[in-house]
Amino acid sequence: MYMQATIVGVIIRLLELNTDRKGVSMSMERECTSNESKALFSVMGMTCSACSASVEKAVKRLPGIREAIVDVLNNKAQVIFYPSFVKEEQILEAIMDTGFMAELIDDDISDRSHQVCRVRIRGMTCTSCANAIESTLLGIHGVKKAQVALATEEAEINYDPNLVSYSELLKAVEDSGFEAVLITTGEDECKVHLKVDGIRNDHSWRMIENSLELLPGVQTIDIDPRLQKVSVSYKSDITGPRHFIEVIESIGSGNLKAMMYPQERGSDSHKQEEIKQYYRSLMWSLIFMIPVFLTSMVFMYVPGVGHVFDTKVLKMLTVGEMVRWILATPIQFIIGQRFYIGSYNALRHGSANMDVLIALGTNAAYFYSVYTVVRAATSVNFEGTDFFETSSMLITFVLLGKYLEVLAKGKTSAAIAKLMNLAPDTATLLTLDAGGKILKEEEIDSRLIQKNDLLKVIPGEKVPCDGFVVWGQSYVNESMITGESRPVTKKKGDIVIGGTVNQNGALHVKATRVGSESALAQIVRLVESAQMNKAPVQKLADLISRYFVPLVILFAVSTWLAWFLAGKFHSYPESWIPPSMDRFELALQFGISVMVIACPCALGLATPTAVMVGTGVGASQGVLIKGGQALETAHKVNCIVFDKTGTLTEGKPVVVSTRLLRQMVIRDFYELVAAVEVNSEHPLAKAIVEYAKKFREDKENQTWAEAKDFISISGHGVKAMVNDKEIVIGNKSLMLEQGISIPSEAKELLLEAEGMAQTGILVSISQEISGVIAISDPLKPSATEVISILKSMNVESIMVTGDNKGTANSIANQVGIDTVIAEAKPEQKADKIKELQGEGYIVAMVGDGINDSPALVAADVGMAIGAGTDIAIEAADIVLMRSNLEDVITAIDLSRKTFSRIRWNYIWALGYNLLGIPIAAGALFPSLRFRLPPWIAGAAMAASSVSVVCWSLLLKNYRRPKILDTLEVKEIRVE
């Protein structure tokens, strides 16, 4: 089955860019694509968002632009780009062409020495909190980038460790008034934490440290005697955790016992603790609030009981007022303490958040009530109404809303939690003798697995880590990782992924990637990183939240003042005033209702929660989306540019015929050709090398003659010197460039191959055309249907390939593509995308090869076929892990569904505030006598946040278009 090797290959290589590359061209291509640079430009003359948008658009039209951010307020533009495709001077020229003065700023942001740490932040309530923390972090010298995600309550900080340490970053967050907990430092790729029992003095700790330092491969050692914890960073190729345990337990006459440190549940444990905290606060608040509510609104109507609470204690002060004051005070100052702390921290840094609104509203109600109590206790004729039930119920309902909100938010990252739980807790380690016979089977903690361990996996068990099969045959269910529904055959030499399930046969697996190096860990990190990235639409919420709270406070004060003055000057009749209130109290209630009904949280959660669920669902469907920006742009795509080989076709080409044009033995011919092509990773080259093995007597022999001066000409072919003969292999253009004449017989053979949708390859030996190789690469079974479905979605399809025109046109006719660009070099592919963008298209590029990387970068959305090269995967915005072409439709459809949900979230959040605030201000009171008491306004505010999160959670029920299921059935039948 085609999918067997390709799916597994991509995941293991997904973020690993350290594998060996063959050929000079490959190394150069990898270096220029993976090394990105940053440049900061001063742009003068911008006056509004339209100006910044035009600059950003002009820059992004250039090839090799990874990201462009234009700050109109500070007149700056930050550009992340690949220097092999575009230079700083070209970017500067593009900015100036838009009509603005610009210059390059020599800033330390271009310094490539950087590290990324992740921090969990507790105490954020709305977007204002996240923005305040981001501003604080970005103000630290050495911090290059900081992203704070409200929905995940985490921050990802890109910083220079030579200028600032992660402990200083944590302190900066804590100084902002929030609790910060380090998740990873960027140094944890190979780090293990051990618990050591039996330590009696500091001397033993020093012995442990000294002994571990002597082990080869150990990099750093951190010891925490208080926690009895030893943390070791190491090189996984040289040593591992079992060695550390053996060394520690050999110290001190065997009195020491070492084990893996109890595993923390990370984000999940934090969420559970937060849920418990809100639950406890809510329960205590209810205990105090319910009596306050009963004494103020229920007991007064109960005969006998009401009389007791109306009994005067001191002058006009009643028993009911005293009871309410006593019960409301702990709610206000102990249970509601979090709102005071949040308000103080926000105001201290010049921002305002939801806590400020709650604190102001409840304090207004509480302290006015205290005033009425004091007046009643000191006067014989004062009659006033307290609002203790307003402040108590308001805090209680806000806590209820936050409790429901954290419950719902905990479910938005369910996809990551499921991925993390795929790793098994234990593994069966095999010990062999020199002859390969099994001596011992031992069950160990899966965290103790080391590279090159031999592991036994029986039917029904999960594969404990990434590796390859050395014995046995079975079917493995990889759907939990790749989304591929069909079990995949595994036999000797095949790669297996940690976390997948072995189904029906025992396997012996040799470990290759363990712990944080595994494909599963890398996918989790990629999805987590994607969920940290803000979608461009989030800028709207950030902009609104910057002014939202101050405007609400101003409007609330204006509402109170307007109603108070209207009452003072008798602008409305006395009958409008409820019996238990006066004019001042009625105005105060309107003002408090306005203050507490406004909800910046719903706006702040509208985008990130939907992006979190969308990217998580995508990962479960085999579509890895690298962030909110890719997710947002994909829903606007109206043109898709497809590569041919490996994208529209199977990518498993085979040689179907060989015609020699000179007298020579075909075995000798292929010995020369394979010696050159073995240095290339192009699918056609691999097909030729595989075919050449058939002419060898020793088919297991993998060595070929040495190819000197190997050069790869992207999109055209290769050339090298073999046995002092110049070998040139490629298309007609390459031969003409090299000054090699093409005989008429070779031209006829090429036309014949093209007519049958085959790729004809010319082979020149010593400047003479010596043969024509015809290679067939069959179409993917679903290619025609996918193109048809895209047309029905109003998405235009174009094919751009480096193959010859005849073959390209033949393939295009079969799948239903009208526009074809053939014999295109990598830069020509990128130029075509720029041309389409200039015509107003939002372009996606789907490719898999190294020569597709410039186009993937130039496109608005780059989609890499999962079986493709590492460079293509790194350059892309979306990775289709299953290598199925129909996942292009899934990616676009999921993006459209996600952003439809985001639009509804914004409609709800904005509409709620636009309708709720006027109603709370009393807009309906003159005509309908309808008003919102503050506690109901507070409950409505809490409900708005919960509803937005729940609306986003509905994305978990996403199902890809049903028509794609029929295509999958078709593929199964074909195979």
Side-chain angles (χ1 to χ4, degrees):
M1 292 169 63
Y2 165 61
M3 302 299 298
Q4 291 174 8
T6 56
I7 299 172
V8 180
V10 57
I11 302 177
I12 293 183
R13 295 180 305 175
L14 187 59
L15 299 176
E16 193 71 46
L17 295 177
N18 300 328
T19 51
D20 294 332
R21 295 288 179 218
K22 295 180 180 180
V24 177
S25 170
M26 287 290 299
S27 300
M28 292 174 62
E29 193 75 43
R30 179 185 183 84
E31 181 182 354
C32 70
T33 309
S34 60
N35 288 340
E36 63 183 31
S37 293
K38 295 181 183 178
L40 191 65
F41 298 88
S42 171
V43 185
M44 304 305 296
M46 297 188 296
T47 57
C48 62
S49 59
C51 299
S52 62
S54 64
V55 173
E56 186 174 325
K57 189 174 182 180
V59 172
K60 287 184 175 179
R61 288 287 181 264
L62 296 171
I65 300 297
R66 183 65 175 160
E67 186 179 3
I69 303 171
V70 181
D71 183 356
V72 68
L73 297 177
N74 297 307
N75 295 312
K76 290 182 180 178
Q78 179 183 308
V79 183
I80 303 174
F81 63 101
Y82 297 106
S84 56
F85 301 130
V86 65
K87 303 301 180 188
E88 292 170 343
E89 293 78 11
Q90 293 172 277
I91 299 173
L92 183 64
E93 184 179 347
I95 295 173
M96 296 180 71
D97 286 343
T98 60
F100 300 99
M101 294 298 295
E103 62 179 5
L104 178 66
I105 301 175
D106 186 15
D107 191 79
D108 63 357
I109 197 169
S110 61
D111 186 357
R112 293 178 187 170
S113 63
H114 72 280
Q115 197 163 290
V116 178
C117 74
R118 295 174 65 87
V119 178
R120 181 169 297 112
I121 301 174
R122 298 174 183 171
M124 295 190 294
T125 58
C126 63
T127 310
S128 297
C129 301
N131 291 341
I133 296 171
E134 272 190 13
S135 299
T136 299
L137 290 170
L138 290 171
I140 299 173
H141 182 59
V143 173
K144 301 179 179 180
K145 186 178 181 182
Q147 291 180 311
V148 180
L150 174 64
T152 59
E153 296 184 330
E154 291 181 7
E156 188 174 85
I157 310 165
N158 190 313
Y159 67 102
D160 187 341
N162 299 318
L163 300 176
V164 63
S165 66
Y166 65 81
S167 58
E168 291 176 279
L169 300 176
L170 294 179
K171 186 176 183 302
V173 174
E174 289 172 349
D175 288 343
S176 299
F178 301 91
E179 184 181 349
V181 179
L182 184 68
I183 302 175
T184 60
T185 64
E187 301 172 339
D188 302 334
E189 284 300 305
C190 291
K191 193 171 189 177
V192 67
H193 306 284
L194 303 174
K195 189 176 189 299
V196 184
D197 293 329
I199 297 290
R200 297 180 179 177
N201 50 50
D202 291 339
H203 177 67
S204 298
W205 287 118
R206 286 194 295 272
M207 287 181 63
I208 290 174
E209 185 173 9
N210 293 335
S211 299
L212 290 174
E213 284 178 344
L214 294 174
L215 282 177
V218 171
Q219 296 175 310
T220 61
I221 302 170
D222 296 316
I223 293 177
D224 189 337
R226 183 176 59 87
L227 298 176
Q228 296 182 302
K229 185 177 182 180
V230 178
S231 301
V232 185
S233 295
Y234 61 97
K235 295 180 179 179
S236 60
D237 291 327
I238 301 174
T239 187
R242 293 204 307 278
H243 294 158
F244 308 148
I245 291 175
E246 290 171 5
V247 168
I248 292 172
E249 292 184 345
S250 67
I251 298 171
S253 304
N255 295 327
L256 303 182
K257 181 70 175 175
M259 66 196 77
M260 295 296 293
Y261 205 80
Q263 195 167 16
E264 298 178 0
R265 300 304 299 174
S267 177
D268 184 57
S269 66
H270 157 61
K271 285 186 173 66
Q272 292 303 318
E273 181 59 32
E274 186 180 23
I275 290 170
K276 288 178 182 178
Q277 287 178 1
Y278 273 113
Y279 179 76
R280 286 194 294 266
S281 297
L282 176 61
M283 289 299 103
W284 278 109
S285 186
L286 284 170
I287 289 171
F288 287 100
M289 184 274 290
I290 291 173
V292 173
F293 171 77
L294 292 175
T295 58
S296 64
M297 297 186 178
V298 178
F299 289 161
M300 66 178 65
Y301 301 109
V302 179
V305 179
H307 176 70
V308 172
F309 285 100
D310 286 336
T311 303
K312 302 291 191 295
V313 177
L314 178 64
K315 295 184 178 181
M316 298 300 291
L317 180 63
T318 66
V319 172
E321 288 174 328
M322 283 293 297
V323 170
R324 289 192 290 273
W325 188 13
I326 293 170
L327 293 174
T329 299
I331 297 178
Q332 185 70 36
F333 297 108
I334 299 176
I335 299 172
Q337 183 183 23
R338 64 176 69 242
F339 302 116
Y340 287 99
I341 294 172
S343 301
Y344 170 75
N345 292 330
L347 295 173
R348 186 160 63 96
H349 290 86
S351 63
N353 58 13
M354 184 200 75
D355 290 333
V356 174
L357 298 177
I358 301 300
L360 285 174
T362 57
N363 276 320
Y366 178 84
F367 284 108
Y368 176 75
S369 301
V370 171
Y371 162 77
T372 63
V373 168
V374 173
R375 282 290 306 275
T378 57
S379 173
V380 293
N381 56 10
F382 175 80
E383 291 186 7
T385 304
D386 65 85
F387 294 134
F388 287 121
E389 82 284 349
T390 295
S391 62
S392 301
M393 294 175 71
L394 181 54
I395 289 175
T396 302
F397 277 103
V398 169
L399 288 174
L400 173 62
K402 295 301 291 183
Y403 172 66
L404 295 175
E405 183 183 317
V406 295
L407 276 177
K409 281 167 63 179
K411 297 178 182 178
T412 57
S413 56
I416 290 182
K418 287 180 181 178
L419 283 171
M420 295 178 71
N421 291 332
L422 288 177
D425 296 326
T426 61
T428 303
L429 178 68
L430 299 179
T431 304
L432 307 181
D433 60 15
K437 184 179 179 182
I438 298 175
L439 293 177
K440 183 174 66 171
E441 291 186 12
E442 178 186 3
E443 188 174 74
I444 62 170
D445 189 318
S446 60
R447 292 176 292 168
L448 293 176
I449 298 173
Q450 298 177 182
K451 281 189 178 180
N452 299 319
D453 279 348
L454 188 62
L455 306 167
K456 181 180 179 181
V457 187
I458 62 175
E461 279 189 344
K462 291 180 179 178
V463 178
C465 67
D466 296 351
F468 61 89
V469 178
V470 296
W471 177 87
Q473 184 169 338
S474 181
Y475 282 92
V476 174
N477 183 352
E478 297 180 342
S479 61
M480 61 288 298
I481 303 291
T482 66
E484 174 59 62
S485 58
R486 289 162 285 172
V488 182
T489 305
K490 299 295 179 183
K491 57 185 183 300
K492 183 178 180 180
D494 287 341
I495 297 169
V496 290
I497 314 168
T500 56
V501 179
N502 182 25
Q503 289 197 328
N504 62 347
L507 297 174
H508 291 177
V509 175
K510 189 171 185 178
T512 56
R513 289 182 173 86
V514 298
S516 58
E517 297 179 331
S518 69
L520 182 59
Q522 291 174 2
I523 290 174
V524 168
R525 283 200 298 271
L526 180 63
V527 177
E528 285 178 335
S529 179
Q531 294 181 345
M532 289 294 302
N533 294 331
K534 291 183 179 180
V537 72
Q538 179 69 20
K539 294 177 183 177
L540 173 63
D542 292 344
L543 181 63
I544 293 173
S545 67
R546 190 178 305 171
Y547 307 104
F548 186 85
V549 174
L551 287 174
V552 167
I553 294 172
L554 180 63
F555 189 62
V557 173
S558 301
T559 298
W560 167 79
L561 188 61
W563 278 101
F564 177 69
L565 293 177
K568 191 77 171 175
F569 294 104
H570 305 285
S571 299
Y572 59 82
E574 293 279 342
S575 60
W576 286 16
I577 304 173
S580 60
M581 296 185 190
D582 60 21
R583 291 182 176 87
F584 176 85
E585 292 167 348
L586 179 64
L588 182 63
Q589 286 238 344
F590 280 126
I592 293 173
S593 294
V594 169
M595 199 169 295
V596 298
I597 200 170
C599 185
C601 299
L603 283 170
L605 293 170
T607 297
T609 52
V611 170
M612 280 183 68
V613 179
T615 52
V617 168
S620 67
Q621 298 271 349
V623 178
L624 285 183
I625 303 170
K626 298 183 181 178
Q629 181 162 352
L631 192 63
E632 177 173 350
T633 308
H635 91 281
K636 297 181 287 188
V637 166
N638 53 15
C639 178
I640 297 184
V641 175
F642 289 95
D643 176 45
K644 181 181 75 69
T645 306
T647 302
L648 291 172
T649 62
E650 291 283 11
K652 289 287 182 179
V654 292
V655 175
V656 292
S657 67
T658 308
R659 296 288 294 273
L660 299 182
L661 302 181
R662 62 187 291 185
Q663 292 293 326
M664 65 183 305
V665 179
I666 193 168
R667 183 180 64 186
D668 296 338
F669 172 81
Y670 270 107
E671 283 289 327
L672 295 174
V673 171
V676 178
E677 293 285 26
V678 75
N679 296 289
S680 172
E681 284 200 357
H682 195 283
L684 298 182
K686 291 181 178 180
I688 292 173
V689 173
E690 196 63 31
Y691 187 75
K693 292 178 183 178
K694 296 180 180 180
F695 300 101
R696 284 191 157 188
E697 294 179 3
D698 181 9
K699 292 182 172 56
E700 297 298 320
N701 184 10
Q702 298 293 319
T703 60
W704 303 91
E706 181 184 2
K708 298 179 181 178
D709 303 325
F710 174 84
I711 298 174
S712 173
I713 301 96
S714 294
H716 287 309
V718 293
K719 64 180 290 188
M721 296 295 294
V722 181
N723 298 335
D724 296 326
K725 297 177 181 178
E726 183 189 59
I727 311 297
V728 182
I729 307 168
N731 56 22
K732 289 188 292 184
S733 299
L734 178 61
M735 299 302 163
L736 296 175
E737 286 179 7
Q738 299 294 318
I740 302 169
S741 61
I742 304 172
S744 57
E745 185 180 358
K747 293 179 180 178
E748 291 174 3
L749 291 172
L750 289 177
L751 289 172
E752 182 182 330
E754 292 168 6
M756 294 186 290
Q758 297 171 356
T759 301
I761 296 177
L762 296 169
V763 178
S764 165
I765 302 176
S766 300
Q767 292 286 304
E768 180 184 351
I769 298 295
S770 303
V772 178
I773 301 173
I775 297 179
S776 175
D777 185 8
L779 275 175
K780 288 185 176 177
S782 60
T784 303
E785 288 84 353
V786 167
I787 300 302
S788 176
I789 294 170
L790 287 172
K791 285 182 179 178
S792 69
M793 296 170 66
N794 296 319
V795 178
E796 184 175 343
S797 298
I798 295 173
M799 186 170 76
V800 179
T801 177
D803 210 340
N804 62 75
K805 292 181 180 178
T807 303
N809 286 324
S810 178
I811 292 292
N813 289 333
Q814 291 182 46
V815 298
I817 292 178
D818 299 323
T819 306
V820 180
I821 309 297
E823 299 180 8
K825 294 182 179 179
E827 60 272 19
Q828 291 172 327
K829 292 184 179 183
D831 289 342
K832 179 60 181 177
I833 286 174
K834 286 165 51 185
E835 180 185 325
L836 292 167
Q837 290 170 332
E839 295 173 6
Y841 286 103
I842 305 298
V843 184
M845 169 69 192
V846 185
D848 70 323
I850 294 169
N851 59 341
D852 297 324
S853 299
L856 288 168
V857 173
D860 296 291
V861 180
M863 298 186 186
I865 291 292
T869 65
D870 294 339
I871 294 174
I873 292 169
E874 179 69 11
D877 302 299
I878 297 175
V879 180
L880 311 177
M881 293 196 297
R882 299 190 299 174
S883 299
N884 286 351
L885 202 59
E886 55 263 34
D887 285 342
V888 172
I889 296 170
T890 301
I892 294 175
D893 185 65
L894 175 60
S895 174
R896 290 180 177 181
K897 293 286 195 324
T898 301
F899 271 83
S900 172
R901 199 58 46 92
I902 288 174
R903 288 191 194 100
W904 279 108
N905 281 348
Y906 274 121
I907 289 171
W908 173 259
L910 289 169
Y912 162 85
N913 283 291
L914 291 174
L915 291 175
I917 291 176
I919 293 173
L924 301 179
F925 191 68
S927 57
L928 302 177
R929 302 294 183 274
F930 177 80
R931 65 184 181 87
L932 281 177
W935 64 272
I936 293 181
M941 181 273 291
S944 67
S945 296
V946 176
S947 62
V948 165
V949 176
C950 291
W951 190 249
S952 294
L953 279 173
L954 290 176
L955 271 172
K956 292 175 67 177
N957 300 322
Y958 170 81
R959 296 291 179 270
R960 65 181 192 162
K962 289 184 179 180
I963 192 170
L964 298 184
D965 296 330
T966 62
L967 298 187
E968 189 168 294
V969 171
K970 178 181 176 180
E971 286 187 0
I972 293 173
R973 288 174 178 171
V974 169
E975 292 182 7

